[in-house]
Amino acid sequence: GDQVEQSPSALSLHEGTGSALRCNFTTTMRAVQWFRKNSRGSLINLFYLASGTKENGRLKSAFDSKERYSTLHIRDAQLEDSGTYFCAAEAFSGSWQLIFGSGTQLTVMP
Amino acid sequence: EAGVTQSPRYAVLQEGQAVSFWCDPISGHDTLYWYQQPRDQGPQLLVYFRDEAVIDNSQLPSDRFSAVRPKGTNSTLKIQSAKQGDTATYLCASSFSNNQDTQYFGPGTRLLVL
């Protein structure tokens, strides 16, 4: 089965509001990365976490390997935050690999 | 610092044709990854290298796909006889193998097999 379950698959927010994306893991992961797909289709690094929390501007991420989840919080959403967000966790499957979630399509509305 | 570059950006093929994708990683990054991303899914690892050595190619369909990184820098991914099911975006990423293997992705090659 899927090792990384990302939710929600789609999310709509009004400008200025906030919400959270979540990834649950079926096994212990070494670290997690969060990405956003930009308008050109490139995956842009948002965070790398081996534990704890990190914050960057209006984004904050947390990773709890013991409880097997990671979250990405967006506050004061802006129109330019729209896009697809992916979490990816480091799992051992013969070698250490990034296992991606299926993505969250975020739409920020005026 | 230049990011990961890939070419071509787009490719359209008929079934049975061959295609090669090229990747230039970030300078100094010893690890290079190739991913396949079908539409509306997350990327899935195909193969990765540390320097010129293949570390894991267990998810690379070896009958039609091949990947090389002969000098431990640039890499080429080749599909020998494309099938419609190969339609996807092919992403290259690179990282430096210290304790924090943060991967940096290129823009990808969007492949359509008709």
Side-chain angles (χ1 to χ4, degrees), chain B residues 32-47:
Chain B
L32 184 147
Y33 311 80
W34 284 103
Y35 289 85
Q36 181 191 62
Q37 184 176 18
R39 188 176 177 82
D40 297 329
Q41 296 183 34
Q44 297 157 15
L45 182 69
L46 291 173
V47 58

Side-chain angles (χ1 to χ4, degrees), chain B residues 53-112:
Chain B
V54 173
I55 302 301
D56 191 331
N57 62 358
S58 59
Q59 296 168 83
L60 190 70
S62 58
D63 57 333
R64 297 184 300 108
F65 285 63
S66 61
V68 294
R69 194 186 185 201
K71 297 182 180 179
T73 52
N74 302 335
S75 178
T76 303
L77 175 69
K78 183 174 182 178
I79 305 177
Q80 195 71 5
S81 177
K83 297 182 178 180
Q84 287 186 355
D86 299 333
T87 294
T89 298
Y90 290 83
L91 296 167
C92 178
S94 70
S95 70
F96 182 64
S97 60
N98 54 14
N99 278 339
Q100 184 167 305
D101 288 316
T102 305
Q103 293 188 27
Y104 296 88
F105 282 77
T109 297
R110 293 181 67 177
L111 173 66
L112 174 61

Side-chain angles (χ1 to χ4, degrees), chain A residues 86-107:
Chain A
F86 291 95
C87 70
E90 288 184 13
F92 191 82
S93 178
S95 62
W96 285 105
Q97 301 177 13
L98 271 186
I99 309 297
F100 278 78
S102 53
T104 296
Q105 178 65 49
L106 173 65
T107 304

Side-chain angles (χ1 to χ4, degrees), chain A residues 1 17 33 44 60 65:
Chain A
T17 64
Q33 283 190 250
I44 306 301
K60 182 177 180 179
S65 61

Side-chain angles (χ1 to χ4, degrees), chain B residues 6-43:
Chain B
Q6 292 185 244
S7 65
R9 292 299 310 275
Y10 304 93
V12 181
L13 305 174
Q14 299 288 335
E15 274 199 321
Q17 288 186 308
V19 63
S20 291
F21 310 132
W22 180 84
C23 173
D24 189 4
I26 292 173
S27 179
H29 280 190
D30 56 357
T31 309
L32 184 147
Y33 311 80
W34 284 103
Y35 289 85
Q36 181 191 62
Q37 184 176 18
R39 188 176 177 82
D40 297 329
Q41 296 183 34

